[in-house]
């Protein structure tokens, strides 16, 4: 086949045999390369050259004591290397089991695997990033016309899980109110795929749908937005130690006790009486003078506010909401990463202040947080 491949001698049944070191080299003597396979290799190199990238076919890369055999290796921008593997012939299950191993070995050594086929069964596998085009003769593959990739490339549709959403909730609930992404099939030209993967504008991702992990090619913009979606939380989880010890529900009660005149008048006339038998220290802490730089001890809100929450809590919650609103208005990936860090710090400060206030006042933390968010996000005029 015009390829130099290492061989070695072995003893088998009292006879010396000269054998290849790798099975791929041995198969070259039995399974010749088809014209369609050669046409794809030529087209990949031509498309890469038109985009300003170099490449070569049948490249052997030394890895320790073994080799990595690549059908067509494209040298992309910023040291990026795309290893195109064209699989058009029928292979058995033993050969399919080796696809994941070969792809993983290539990725481990700095080569992004890109497997292309015209078989539907191969393209539906998730062992590597497959792309598929229609089955065509060699002269059409080598032609400069539009050759489309009909499987393997996806466009990510980002949406909010509310009553107006077009897709069902992937978490299996009715409407969770979170943001999700749905992968929608899109066709792309084969030549554009070769050039953009070398340039880094089309990248491979692992997309989880339910319990299945799919491997798709998407644009780098969709990949960054997907990273932002997985990195942003609409609300920090509550601390585990704030859960009621009795195992009571965090939800508000569905019934209200009967209006007892004594129960109503007691909190109005003596607001500090219920807290004194439980924890006598908070009144002394509140009465102590504070320096302008201290923020640990909560100060009571002015008397004209019906909420009764400290002003520090309101200011911290307003700062966290403002940071999150600014995060939603940004589009640059690096700016969003920096703003996400600022928002998390502000949200953590607000959560810590809520926890401290609830413990000091012996109040239900969930109710304090809900009342604070209602006061900040729905102010009463």
């Amino acid at each position: 086949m015009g390829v130099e491949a290492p061989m070695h001698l072995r003893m088998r049944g009292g006879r010396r045999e000269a054998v290849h070191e790798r099975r791929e080299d041995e198969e070259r003597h039995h399974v010749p390369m088809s014209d369609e396979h050669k046409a794809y290799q030529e087209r990949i190199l031509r498309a890469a050259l038109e985009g300003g990238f170099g490449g070569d076919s049948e490249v052997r890369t030394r890895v320790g004591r073994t080799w990595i055999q690549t059908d067509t290796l494209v040298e992309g921008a910023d040291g990026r290397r795309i290893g195109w593997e064209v699989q058009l012939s029928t292979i058995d299950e033993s050969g399919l089991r080796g696809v994941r191993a070969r792809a993983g070995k290539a990725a481990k050594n700095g080569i992004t695997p890109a497997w292309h086929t015209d078989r539907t069964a191969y393209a539906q596998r998730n062992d590597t990033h497959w792309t598929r085009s229609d089955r065509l003769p060699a002269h059409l593959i080598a032609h400069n016309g539009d050759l489309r990739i009909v499987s393997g490339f996806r466009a990510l549709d980002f949406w909010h899980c509310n009553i107006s959403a077009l897709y069902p909730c992937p978490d299996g609930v009715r409407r969770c109110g979170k943001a999700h992404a749905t992968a929608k099939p899109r066709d792309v030209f084969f030549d554009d795929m070769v050039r953009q993967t070398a340039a880094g504008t089309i990248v491979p991702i692992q997309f989880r749908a339910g319990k299945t992990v799919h491997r798709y090619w998407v644009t780098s913009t969709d990949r960054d937005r997907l990273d932002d979606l997985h990195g942003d939380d609409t609300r920090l989880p509550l601390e585990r130690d704030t859960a009621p010890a009795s195992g009571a529900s965090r939800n508000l009660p569905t019934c209200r006790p009967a209006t007892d005149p004594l129960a109503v008048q007691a909190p109005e006339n003596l607001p500090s009486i219920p807290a004194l038998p439980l924890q006598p220290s908070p009144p002394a802490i509140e009465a102590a003078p504070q320096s302008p730089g201290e923020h640990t001890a909560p100060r009571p809100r002015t008397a004209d506010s019906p909420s009764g929450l400290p002003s520090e809590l309101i200011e911290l919650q307003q700062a966290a909401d403002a940071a999150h609103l600014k995060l939603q208005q940004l589009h640059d990936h690096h700016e969003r990463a920096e703003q996400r860090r600022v928002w998390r710090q502000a949200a953590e400060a607000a959560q810590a202040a809520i926890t401290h206030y609830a413990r000091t006042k012996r109040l239900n933390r969930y109710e304090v947080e809900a009342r604070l968010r209602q006061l900040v996000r729905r102010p009463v005029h």
Side-chain angles (χ1 to χ4, degrees):
M1 303 300 297
V3 177
E4 296 182 3
M7 303 180 69
H8 67 277
L9 295 176
R10 71 180 180 187
M11 294 294 295
R12 179 68 62 85
R15 299 173 53 189
R16 280 197 177 95
E17 297 179 345
V19 297
H20 287 285
E21 291 184 356
R22 298 188 60 81
R23 184 179 297 273
E24 294 87 17
D25 299 328
E26 185 178 354
E27 291 176 351
R28 295 179 188 275
H29 299 278
H30 306 287
V31 184
M33 188 181 301
S34 63
D35 294 337
E36 290 77 11
H37 192 285
K38 296 178 182 178
Y40 269 113
Q41 288 183 322
E42 295 175 359
R43 179 147 191 167
I44 292 173
L45 293 178
R46 183 174 67 250
L49 184 61
E50 292 175 354
F53 306 105
D56 198 2
S57 296
E58 303 301 328
V59 179
R60 295 174 66 89
T61 305
R62 186 78 178 185
V63 179
R65 300 179 61 183
T66 60
W67 300 83
I68 296 179
Q69 180 76 25
T70 308
D71 285 346
T72 306
L73 184 63
V74 176
E75 301 289 344
D78 301 328
R80 192 175 292 104
R81 309 175 72 192
I82 310 297
W84 285 92
E85 300 286 349
V86 181
Q87 184 61 54
L88 306 178
S89 61
T90 302
I91 53 180
D92 54 10
E93 286 297 326
S94 61
L96 287 175
R97 284 194 296 267
V99 171
R100 183 184 294 271
R102 292 176 57 186
K105 190 175 182 180
K108 185 179 179 180
N109 291 276
I111 299 176
T112 302
W115 286 66
H116 185 74
T117 184
D118 58 5
R119 307 296 179 93
T120 304
Y122 299 165
Q124 293 176 349
R125 297 170 58 87
N126 292 323
D127 44 13
T128 187
H129 292 81
W130 287 91
T131 54
R132 182 179 69 87
S133 58
D134 295 332
R135 188 172 301 182
L136 301 172
H139 70 278
L140 291 181
I141 297 174
H143 195 264
N144 289 328
D146 296 336
L147 175 62
R148 290 181 177 272
I149 291 179
V150 298
S151 176
F153 181 79
R154 293 291 189 273
L156 299 183
D157 188 7
F158 297 87
W159 52 281
H160 289 279
C161 190
N162 50 30
I163 58 175
S164 60
L166 300 178
Y167 308 101
C169 181
D171 296 335
V173 299
R174 189 172 182 178
R175 288 302 173 192
C176 64
K178 299 180 181 179
H180 302 292
T182 300
K184 303 176 67 175
R186 287 289 186 272
D187 291 355
V188 63
F189 291 128
F190 185 83
D191 294 349
D192 292 340
M193 183 77 178
V194 173
R195 288 188 286 263
Q196 294 189 39
T197 51
T201 55
I202 292 182
V203 294
I205 64 166
Q206 295 186 13
F207 185 84
R208 179 177 294 275
K211 297 182 178 180
T212 305
V213 177
H214 302 277
R215 289 172 169 83
Y216 298 137
W217 293 91
V218 299
T219 62
S220 58
T221 303
D222 282 354
R223 190 268 315 273
D224 293 341
R225 294 185 63 189
L226 185 64
D227 292 342
D228 291 340
L229 177 64
H230 291 164
D232 287 350
D233 296 327
T234 57
R235 180 177 179 179
L236 295 177
L238 298 177
E239 297 180 0
R240 293 183 178 273
D241 56 356
T242 59
S246 60
S249 174
R250 294 179 180 271
N251 299 329
L252 296 176
T254 56
C255 59
R256 295 183 180 274
T259 56
D260 188 358
L262 295 178
V264 175
Q265 294 296 330
E268 296 180 359
N269 298 331
L270 298 174
S272 60
I273 290 179
L276 289 175
L278 297 176
Q279 188 175 354
S281 57
I285 295 178
E286 294 180 357
Q290 293 181 348
S291 60
E294 294 180 353
H295 299 282
T296 55
R299 294 178 297 176
R301 191 178 172 87
T302 56
D304 57 350
S305 174
S307 65
L309 294 176
S311 59
E312 283 79 5
L313 293 184
I314 300 176
E315 294 174 358
L316 291 174
Q317 187 63 42
Q318 289 175 346
D321 292 349
H324 188 254
L325 179 62
K326 183 177 179 181
L327 174 64
Q328 295 176 344
Q329 296 173 351
L330 296 177
H331 301 285
D332 184 72
H333 180 66
H334 299 288
E335 293 180 356
R336 285 180 61 86
E338 180 64 22
Q339 182 61 26
R340 188 185 306 115
R341 182 184 62 80
V342 175
W343 165 61
R344 286 183 179 276
Q345 293 178 354
E348 290 173 359
Q351 293 288 309
I354 293 173
T355 302
H356 176 76
Y357 176 76
R359 288 178 177 177
T360 303
K361 291 294 187 179
R362 294 292 183 92
L363 300 175
N364 186 301
R365 186 189 184 282
Y366 174 82
E367 295 179 357
V368 172
E369 182 180 9
R371 184 172 53 174
L372 175 63
R373 295 194 175 191
Q374 183 179 9
L375 176 65
V376 172
R377 299 173 184 177
R378 298 178 182 177
V380 179
H381 298 285

